[in-house]
Amino acid sequence: MHISVYITCSGKEEAEKIARALVEEKLVACVNYFPINSIYRWKGKVETAEEYAMICKTHRDKFTKLKKKVKQLHSYELPVILFTKFRAEKEVLDWIDETTDSIKDKYSTKDAE
């Protein structure tokens, strides 16, 4: 199964540091990162923040190690690390598998409709 992982970071520098580590360690094939504005409740207060969001493309078998690495590098007490499954063209899924040294999953290589 192939997944995209959504992570929020305190800023561009932190996002780049985490993204580079994830790609270099072959935990993800690619990371897109961009500025966002967030409103959230934390410890009983409504907060606002300018953050950076990251979208990572990887294989499900990398998620546990990815999560551990993000928590190791992240400045937040509780980093948000969400994942969703996706389908894509076979060539994209093969690229993700090859660049992350992942096990091929015969059920996730069907082309998207």
Side-chain angles (χ1 to χ4, degrees):
M1 173 185 10
H2 294 87
I3 60 173
S4 62
V5 182
Y6 179 85
I7 304 164
T8 54
C9 295
S10 63
K12 183 177 181 180
E13 193 171 294
E14 182 172 64
E16 287 176 342
K17 176 177 77 171
I18 293 170
R20 182 161 300 279
L22 295 178
V23 172
E24 285 177 352
E25 294 184 27
K26 295 186 174 185
L27 297 174
V28 300
C30 175
V31 178
N32 305 112
Y33 60 98
F34 47 91
I36 59 169
N37 295 302
S38 299
I39 300 175
Y40 55 94
R41 182 173 297 278
W42 181 247
K43 295 186 178 183
K45 292 175 153 182
V46 175
E47 304 280 350
T48 61
E50 291 181 0
E51 299 179 292
Y52 262 68
M54 301 169 52
I55 299 174
C56 311
K57 299 165 202 66
T58 192
H59 194 278
R60 176 64 178 93
D61 69 358
K62 298 293 181 175
F63 185 70
T64 300
K65 288 182 181 178
L66 178 155
K67 186 171 58 169
K68 183 177 179 181
K69 178 54 79 173
V70 170
K71 287 181 176 183
Q72 175 188 346
L73 297 173
H74 211 290
S75 64
Y76 288 174
E77 181 180 336
L78 180 64
V80 173
I81 308 168
L82 311 173
F83 81 85
T84 56
K85 323 186 265 191
F86 70 85
R87 293 180 9 171
E89 292 181 349
K90 181 181 182 319
E91 293 81 8
V92 172
L93 302 177
D94 288 346
W95 168 71
I96 291 169
D97 291 341
E98 289 166 16
T99 58
T100 61
D101 293 335
S102 292
I103 301 165
K104 293 205 177 203
D105 182 347
K106 68 180 181 178
Y107 299 106
S108 63
T109 58
K110 294 179 181 176
D111 290 346
E113 294 177 17

